[in-house]
Amino acid sequence: MEIEEKQAEVIDHFVKQVSAQKGSALGSVFVEATSHPSLFAFSEILAVPTVAELEGTDNSVHLEMLRLFAHGTWSDYKRNSGKFPQLVPDQVLKLKQLTVLTLAETKKVLSYDQLMRELDVTNVRELEDFLINDCMYAGLVRGKLDQLQRYFEVQFAAGRDLRPGQLGSMIQTLSNWLATSDNLLVTIQDKIKWADTMSELDKKHRKELEDRVMEVKKAVSVKTASRPILTSKGSMKSTLNLVE
Amino acid sequence: MEIKRMASSSSSGLTFKLHPLVIVNISDHYTRVKSQLNPPPLTSTSATVNGVENQQQAPRVYGCVIGVQRGRTVEIFNSFELLYDPSTHSLDRPFLKKKQELYKKVFPHFYILGWYSTGSDAQESDMHIHRALMDINESPLYVLLNPAINPTQKDLPVTIYESELHVIDGIPQLIFVRSSYTIETVEAERISVDHVAHLKPSDGGSAATQLAAHLTGIHSAIKMLNSRIRVLHHYLVGMQKGDIPCENSLLRQVSSLLRRLPAIESEKFQDDFLMEYNDTLLITYLAMFTNCSSTMNELVDKFNTAYDRHSRRGGRTAFI
């Protein structure tokens, strides 16, 4: 969550700038925001009322671009590059980073081929450099690179801005998680009870066994005491062994 | 009952760090003295200060605490015992000096930071001892351990008092003020505290076997996780309904958290897990087999010796 902390100040700064200006001046602010190296969250800026006014006006391309950065990927940009203004290299890099985040949303294990397709890089070395320098060192993702199997295993990925429908699915996931942990708690409690009952049974069994041994010992010693002492030595020895 | 004048919190701004070794030392000292006081109790070490007799045979023990003070942080590392002399109402000074020299040789950085005692509350008489120590350390600490076992209490029964000069009724007086502290552990201390904690299940539940105790630990851990997830769930539902304003940064963090699930579903994990499970089952099976076969062996031997009437005569041998 360090990314959120790092971003908080930048977000405040840009929100102030955006609310202070209007119209086409906002365009340049957007470009600045999207090229900023540590800003990855744009929904706060989108929520400012002056930004929403841009909808439908001539400057709506800028709004579209901001929305692209908030929710879209590099492939979206390539497909509809007519709709968006030209991007500077910083923005290109930023968009690619955000694309990696989106990919990490759906799968935990990303293959190199898929990544190379989505990010428009041709060789593995470039891809790995990009992942290591721009994604991991920036703190966006944490994971392991498996070069032999050509996989990138994601352990942690920062969150992107939420699409409107995502909240519902998040709540669903959370309730599933809750249900699973509740079940698990019940199962563990049953196991604990089982362990206790088994140990109780074991103790009882052992005690019964010992009681029986005591009884038999007493019975045998009574018998041998009442028998005449002229029994053969062998049978005496054998009864003693039996009791042992 | 003397009036205990104490403020509720200190204002000196010092942060205190207490090591578990000190707590264990104090409680060990107290336990030793208490168990050595076989009836009839000879109150040689119990405090009869100001005529208040401790009727429940709870002797008061005394000692010194030593440690390091760096700037505003006071760290209490160790402690040693002292004898209290009821006649002069002071601690044994020559012994204290000797101990101080000995400790200085081994730990040159440690200073005498204060003293400790047991009891439920600080008393007026303790101020005498406190004042006496003020020539070694101008602001000594008083560590008080309450030996009464209270099963409902969740915190440690240890309080640290400092002395402050307050003006009460026009007279400047030294009174005890309570200070907060944190527990600081060295690796060696952590191992021993952990070991002690595992000897008996903590919440007094009837966990007869070690397995049950282990499972109880896991159960409480998962229960805590469960409650936290529940809070998050509640928060998100509230946000969805609109009761709470949407805070994007938090939502982003939650989404990144949820992306880490499912945590253990990969195929490789299943393989390894099942392999280990099978190994454990096989070993248990093998152990059971060995047990059974040895019992059988013993039974056969006993049977042979018991019903062995025709042996050593050539011809038929017995059962096996």
mmCIF file of all heavy atoms in Angstrom, chain B residues 185-218:
data_model
loop_
_atom_site.group_PDB
_atom_site.id
_atom_site.type_symbol
_atom_site.label_atom_id
_atom_site.label_comp_id
_atom_site.label_asym_id
_atom_site.label_seq_id
_atom_site.Cartn_x
_atom_site.Cartn_y
_atom_site.Cartn_z
ATOM 1 N N THR B 185 11.571 -6.957 22.503
ATOM 2 C CA THR B 185 12.101 -8.299 22.706
ATOM 3 C C THR B 185 13.343 -8.535 21.870
ATOM 4 O O THR B 185 13.394 -8.177 20.709
ATOM 5 C CB THR B 185 11.067 -9.351 22.270
ATOM 6 O OG1 THR B 185 9.790 -8.786 22.382
ATOM 7 C CG2 THR B 185 11.171 -10.570 23.110
ATOM 8 N N VAL B 186 14.313 -9.177 22.466
ATOM 9 C CA VAL B 186 15.471 -9.661 21.730
ATOM 10 C C VAL B 186 15.111 -11.078 21.274
ATOM 11 O O VAL B 186 14.217 -11.695 21.825
ATOM 12 C CB VAL B 186 16.695 -9.679 22.675
ATOM 13 C CG1 VAL B 186 17.903 -10.233 21.997
ATOM 14 C CG2 VAL B 186 16.966 -8.285 23.173
ATOM 15 N N GLU B 187 15.802 -11.573 20.253
ATOM 16 C CA GLU B 187 15.456 -12.889 19.692
ATOM 17 C C GLU B 187 15.450 -13.983 20.746
ATOM 18 O O GLU B 187 14.557 -14.824 20.787
ATOM 19 C CB GLU B 187 16.446 -13.231 18.581
ATOM 20 C CG GLU B 187 16.083 -14.460 17.773
ATOM 21 C CD GLU B 187 14.802 -14.299 16.994
ATOM 22 O OE1 GLU B 187 14.381 -13.146 16.770
ATOM 23 O OE2 GLU B 187 14.198 -15.313 16.645
ATOM 24 N N ALA B 188 16.451 -13.982 21.641
ATOM 25 C CA ALA B 188 16.513 -15.025 22.660
ATOM 26 C C ALA B 188 15.297 -14.966 23.577
ATOM 27 O O ALA B 188 14.720 -15.984 23.953
ATOM 28 C CB ALA B 188 17.800 -14.871 23.475
ATOM 29 N N GLU B 189 14.879 -13.730 23.897
ATOM 30 C CA GLU B 189 13.716 -13.596 24.772
ATOM 31 C C GLU B 189 12.468 -14.086 24.064
ATOM 32 O O GLU B 189 11.591 -14.709 24.666
ATOM 33 C CB GLU B 189 13.536 -12.133 25.175
ATOM 34 C CG GLU B 189 14.583 -11.658 26.157
ATOM 35 C CD GLU B 189 14.561 -10.156 26.322
ATOM 36 O OE1 GLU B 189 14.261 -9.454 25.339
ATOM 37 O OE2 GLU B 189 14.855 -9.694 27.424
ATOM 38 N N ARG B 190 12.394 -13.805 22.772
ATOM 39 C CA ARG B 190 11.203 -14.215 22.034
ATOM 40 C C ARG B 190 11.053 -15.727 22.060
ATOM 41 O O ARG B 190 9.958 -16.255 22.247
ATOM 42 C CB ARG B 190 11.300 -13.715 20.586
ATOM 43 C CG ARG B 190 10.062 -13.947 19.772
ATOM 44 C CD ARG B 190 10.321 -13.694 18.301
ATOM 45 N NE ARG B 190 11.256 -14.624 17.716
ATOM 46 C CZ ARG B 190 10.939 -15.857 17.362
ATOM 47 N NH1 ARG B 190 9.717 -16.303 17.540
ATOM 48 N NH2 ARG B 190 11.852 -16.636 16.843
ATOM 49 N N ILE B 191 12.170 -16.439 21.895
ATOM 50 C CA ILE B 191 12.096 -17.904 21.877
ATOM 51 C C ILE B 191 11.586 -18.419 23.212
ATOM 52 O O ILE B 191 10.711 -19.286 23.258
ATOM 53 C CB ILE B 191 13.488 -18.503 21.575
ATOM 54 C CG1 ILE B 191 13.929 -18.101 20.174
ATOM 55 C CG2 ILE B 191 13.455 -20.003 21.700
ATOM 56 C CD1 ILE B 191 15.312 -18.545 19.834
ATOM 57 N N SER B 192 12.114 -17.873 24.311
ATOM 58 C CA SER B 192 11.689 -18.421 25.604
ATOM 59 C C SER B 192 10.254 -18.051 25.908
ATOM 60 O O SER B 192 9.505 -18.881 26.432
ATOM 61 C CB SER B 192 12.617 -17.947 26.718
ATOM 62 O OG SER B 192 13.044 -16.640 26.483
ATOM 63 N N VAL B 193 9.855 -16.833 25.566
ATOM 64 C CA VAL B 193 8.459 -16.443 25.829
ATOM 65 C C VAL B 193 7.509 -17.308 25.009
ATOM 66 O O VAL B 193 6.476 -17.762 25.495
ATOM 67 C CB VAL B 193 8.263 -14.948 25.516
ATOM 68 C CG1 VAL B 193 6.798 -14.597 25.519
ATOM 69 C CG2 VAL B 193 8.983 -14.096 26.532
ATOM 70 N N ASP B 194 7.885 -17.549 23.753
ATOM 71 C CA ASP B 194 7.085 -18.412 22.891
ATOM 72 C C ASP B 194 6.933 -19.809 23.485
ATOM 73 O O ASP B 194 5.851 -20.387 23.489
ATOM 74 C CB ASP B 194 7.816 -18.507 21.546
ATOM 75 C CG ASP B 194 6.856 -18.719 20.414
ATOM 76 O OD1 ASP B 194 5.754 -18.140 20.473
ATOM 77 O OD2 ASP B 194 7.203 -19.461 19.498
ATOM 78 N N HIS B 195 8.065 -20.330 23.998
ATOM 79 C CA HIS B 195 8.062 -21.672 24.577
ATOM 80 C C HIS B 195 7.121 -21.740 25.762
ATOM 81 O O HIS B 195 6.326 -22.664 25.897
ATOM 82 C CB HIS B 195 9.494 -21.997 25.006
ATOM 83 C CG HIS B 195 9.661 -23.368 25.533
ATOM 84 N ND1 HIS B 195 9.713 -24.478 24.725
ATOM 85 C CD2 HIS B 195 9.786 -23.822 26.786
ATOM 86 C CE1 HIS B 195 9.864 -25.544 25.475
ATOM 87 N NE2 HIS B 195 9.916 -25.192 26.730
ATOM 88 N N VAL B 196 7.198 -20.720 26.629
ATOM 89 C CA VAL B 196 6.326 -20.711 27.806
ATOM 90 C C VAL B 196 4.871 -20.600 27.379
ATOM 91 O O VAL B 196 3.992 -21.247 27.946
ATOM 92 C CB VAL B 196 6.726 -19.543 28.737
ATOM 93 C CG1 VAL B 196 5.686 -19.346 29.814
ATOM 94 C CG2 VAL B 196 8.062 -19.817 29.363
ATOM 95 N N ALA B 197 4.626 -19.790 26.373
ATOM 96 C CA ALA B 197 3.234 -19.585 25.959
ATOM 97 C C ALA B 197 2.624 -20.859 25.418
ATOM 98 O O ALA B 197 1.418 -21.067 25.505
ATOM 99 C CB ALA B 197 3.163 -18.479 24.914
ATOM 100 N N HIS B 198 3.444 -21.747 24.844
ATOM 101 C CA HIS B 198 2.885 -22.952 24.251
ATOM 102 C C HIS B 198 2.694 -24.080 25.235
ATOM 103 O O HIS B 198 2.152 -25.110 24.884
ATOM 104 C CB HIS B 198 3.809 -23.453 23.132
ATOM 105 C CG HIS B 198 3.535 -22.760 21.842
ATOM 106 N ND1 HIS B 198 4.502 -22.308 21.013
ATOM 107 C CD2 HIS B 198 2.376 -22.444 21.261
ATOM 108 C CE1 HIS B 198 3.953 -21.748 19.968
ATOM 109 N NE2 HIS B 198 2.656 -21.809 20.090
ATOM 110 N N LEU B 199 3.158 -23.886 26.472
ATOM 111 C CA LEU B 199 3.038 -24.988 27.414
ATOM 112 C C LEU B 199 1.590 -25.272 27.745
ATOM 113 O O LEU B 199 1.205 -26.406 27.956
ATOM 114 C CB LEU B 199 3.788 -24.643 28.706
ATOM 115 C CG LEU B 199 5.288 -24.786 28.617
ATOM 116 C CD1 LEU B 199 5.918 -24.366 29.915
ATOM 117 C CD2 LEU B 199 5.649 -26.236 28.329
ATOM 118 N N LYS B 200 0.798 -24.211 27.806
ATOM 119 C CA LYS B 200 -0.586 -24.412 28.190
ATOM 120 C C LYS B 200 -1.470 -23.585 27.274
ATOM 121 O O LYS B 200 -1.121 -22.468 26.961
ATOM 122 C CB LYS B 200 -0.775 -23.959 29.644
ATOM 123 C CG LYS B 200 -2.025 -24.548 30.255
ATOM 124 C CD LYS B 200 -2.164 -24.095 31.679
ATOM 125 C CE LYS B 200 -3.434 -24.594 32.306
ATOM 126 N NZ LYS B 200 -4.605 -24.520 31.463
ATOM 127 N N PRO B 201 -2.581 -24.115 26.823
ATOM 128 C CA PRO B 201 -3.456 -23.318 25.961
ATOM 129 C C PRO B 201 -3.949 -22.082 26.675
ATOM 130 O O PRO B 201 -4.286 -22.124 27.851
ATOM 131 C CB PRO B 201 -4.608 -24.272 25.627
ATOM 132 C CG PRO B 201 -4.510 -25.365 26.598
ATOM 133 C CD PRO B 201 -3.108 -25.456 27.046
ATOM 134 N N SER B 202 -3.988 -20.996 25.927
ATOM 135 C CA SER B 202 -4.079 -19.694 26.584
ATOM 136 C C SER B 202 -5.443 -19.381 27.167
ATOM 137 O O SER B 202 -5.538 -18.911 28.280
ATOM 138 C CB SER B 202 -3.688 -18.600 25.601
ATOM 139 O OG SER B 202 -4.473 -18.732 24.434
ATOM 140 N N ASP B 203 -6.511 -19.617 26.424
ATOM 141 C CA ASP B 203 -7.765 -19.069 26.944
ATOM 142 C C ASP B 203 -8.473 -20.017 27.896
ATOM 143 O O ASP B 203 -9.677 -19.934 28.086
ATOM 144 C CB ASP B 203 -8.686 -18.682 25.784
ATOM 145 C CG ASP B 203 -8.975 -19.890 24.886
ATOM 146 O OD1 ASP B 203 -8.346 -20.935 25.092
ATOM 147 O OD2 ASP B 203 -9.815 -19.749 24.001
ATOM 148 N N GLY B 204 -7.742 -20.951 28.437
ATOM 149 C CA GLY B 204 -8.328 -21.808 29.464
ATOM 150 C C GLY B 204 -9.303 -22.823 28.920
ATOM 151 O O GLY B 204 -9.991 -23.492 29.672
ATOM 152 N N GLY B 205 -9.412 -22.951 27.605
ATOM 153 C CA GLY B 205 -10.313 -23.960 27.064
ATOM 154 C C GLY B 205 -9.737 -25.344 27.285
ATOM 155 O O GLY B 205 -8.541 -25.512 27.449
ATOM 156 N N SER B 206 -10.598 -26.331 27.263
ATOM 157 C CA SER B 206 -10.126 -27.677 27.600
ATOM 158 C C SER B 206 -9.514 -28.338 26.375
ATOM 159 O O SER B 206 -10.176 -29.092 25.679
ATOM 160 C CB SER B 206 -11.281 -28.503 28.123
ATOM 161 O OG SER B 206 -12.286 -28.579 27.126
ATOM 162 N N ALA B 207 -8.272 -28.033 26.091
ATOM 163 C CA ALA B 207 -7.599 -28.672 24.957
ATOM 164 C C ALA B 207 -6.670 -29.725 25.527
ATOM 165 O O ALA B 207 -5.588 -29.438 25.992
ATOM 166 C CB ALA B 207 -6.823 -27.637 24.160
ATOM 167 N N ALA B 208 -7.149 -30.938 25.522
ATOM 168 C CA ALA B 208 -6.426 -31.987 26.247
ATOM 169 C C ALA B 208 -5.145 -32.377 25.547
ATOM 170 O O ALA B 208 -4.107 -32.528 26.162
ATOM 171 C CB ALA B 208 -7.331 -33.202 26.394
ATOM 172 N N THR B 209 -5.194 -32.529 24.254
ATOM 173 C CA THR B 209 -4.008 -33.019 23.562
ATOM 174 C C THR B 209 -3.266 -31.873 22.901
ATOM 175 O O THR B 209 -3.772 -30.778 22.750
ATOM 176 C CB THR B 209 -4.410 -34.013 22.483
ATOM 177 O OG1 THR B 209 -5.290 -33.317 21.591
ATOM 178 C CG2 THR B 209 -5.133 -35.186 23.068
ATOM 179 N N GLN B 210 -2.051 -32.160 22.467
ATOM 180 C CA GLN B 210 -1.263 -31.155 21.775
ATOM 181 C C GLN B 210 -1.903 -30.804 20.445
ATOM 182 O O GLN B 210 -1.882 -29.656 20.011
ATOM 183 C CB GLN B 210 0.126 -31.730 21.522
ATOM 184 C CG GLN B 210 1.181 -30.919 22.176
ATOM 185 C CD GLN B 210 2.545 -31.347 21.756
ATOM 186 O OE1 GLN B 210 2.709 -32.205 20.908
ATOM 187 N NE2 GLN B 210 3.526 -30.753 22.356
ATOM 188 N N LEU B 211 -2.492 -31.799 19.787
ATOM 189 C CA LEU B 211 -3.167 -31.545 18.523
ATOM 190 C C LEU B 211 -4.276 -30.521 18.703
ATOM 191 O O LEU B 211 -4.407 -29.567 17.937
ATOM 192 C CB LEU B 211 -3.745 -32.854 17.978
ATOM 193 C CG LEU B 211 -4.622 -32.713 16.734
ATOM 194 C CD1 LEU B 211 -3.788 -32.215 15.582
ATOM 195 C CD2 LEU B 211 -5.256 -34.028 16.389
ATOM 196 N N ALA B 212 -5.071 -30.722 19.762
ATOM 197 C CA ALA B 212 -6.180 -29.794 19.995
ATOM 198 C C ALA B 212 -5.655 -28.399 20.274
ATOM 199 O O ALA B 212 -6.229 -27.413 19.813
ATOM 200 C CB ALA B 212 -7.033 -30.299 21.148
ATOM 201 N N ALA B 213 -4.536 -28.305 21.004
ATOM 202 C CA ALA B 213 -3.986 -26.981 21.307
ATOM 203 C C ALA B 213 -3.532 -26.285 20.028
ATOM 204 O O ALA B 213 -3.795 -25.102 19.814
ATOM 205 C CB ALA B 213 -2.818 -27.121 22.277
ATOM 206 N N HIS B 214 -2.859 -27.060 19.166
ATOM 207 C CA HIS B 214 -2.399 -26.493 17.895
ATOM 208 C C HIS B 214 -3.577 -26.011 17.066
ATOM 209 O O HIS B 214 -3.570 -24.908 16.518
ATOM 210 C CB HIS B 214 -1.617 -27.587 17.153
ATOM 211 C CG HIS B 214 -1.073 -27.134 15.863
ATOM 212 N ND1 HIS B 214 -1.402 -27.716 14.655
ATOM 213 C CD2 HIS B 214 -0.227 -26.139 15.550
ATOM 214 C CE1 HIS B 214 -0.775 -27.114 13.689
ATOM 215 N NE2 HIS B 214 -0.046 -26.155 14.187
ATOM 216 N N LEU B 215 -4.616 -26.854 16.988
ATOM 217 C CA LEU B 215 -5.792 -26.489 16.202
ATOM 218 C C LEU B 215 -6.463 -25.259 16.785
ATOM 219 O O LEU B 215 -6.971 -24.406 16.048
ATOM 220 C CB LEU B 215 -6.780 -27.655 16.164
ATOM 221 C CG LEU B 215 -6.409 -28.783 15.207
ATOM 222 C CD1 LEU B 215 -7.428 -29.887 15.304
ATOM 223 C CD2 LEU B 215 -6.346 -28.282 13.790
ATOM 224 N N THR B 216 -6.469 -25.161 18.122
ATOM 225 C CA THR B 216 -7.086 -23.986 18.733
ATOM 226 C C THR B 216 -6.356 -22.724 18.323
ATOM 227 O O THR B 216 -6.989 -21.695 18.051
ATOM 228 C CB THR B 216 -7.057 -24.095 20.263
ATOM 229 O OG1 THR B 216 -7.360 -25.431 20.638
ATOM 230 C CG2 THR B 216 -8.051 -23.166 20.892
ATOM 231 N N GLY B 217 -5.015 -22.811 18.248
ATOM 232 C CA GLY B 217 -4.260 -21.652 17.802
ATOM 233 C C GLY B 217 -4.653 -21.225 16.397
ATOM 234 O O GLY B 217 -4.915 -20.046 16.130
ATOM 235 N N ILE B 218 -4.732 -22.221 15.513
ATOM 236 C CA ILE B 218 -5.110 -21.903 14.137
ATOM 237 C C ILE B 218 -6.519 -21.313 14.100
ATOM 238 O O ILE B 218 -6.803 -20.361 13.366
ATOM 239 C CB ILE B 218 -5.043 -23.171 13.267
ATOM 240 C CG1 ILE B 218 -3.630 -23.717 13.225
ATOM 241 C CG2 ILE B 218 -5.536 -22.897 11.870
ATOM 242 C CD1 ILE B 218 -3.463 -24.881 12.309
#
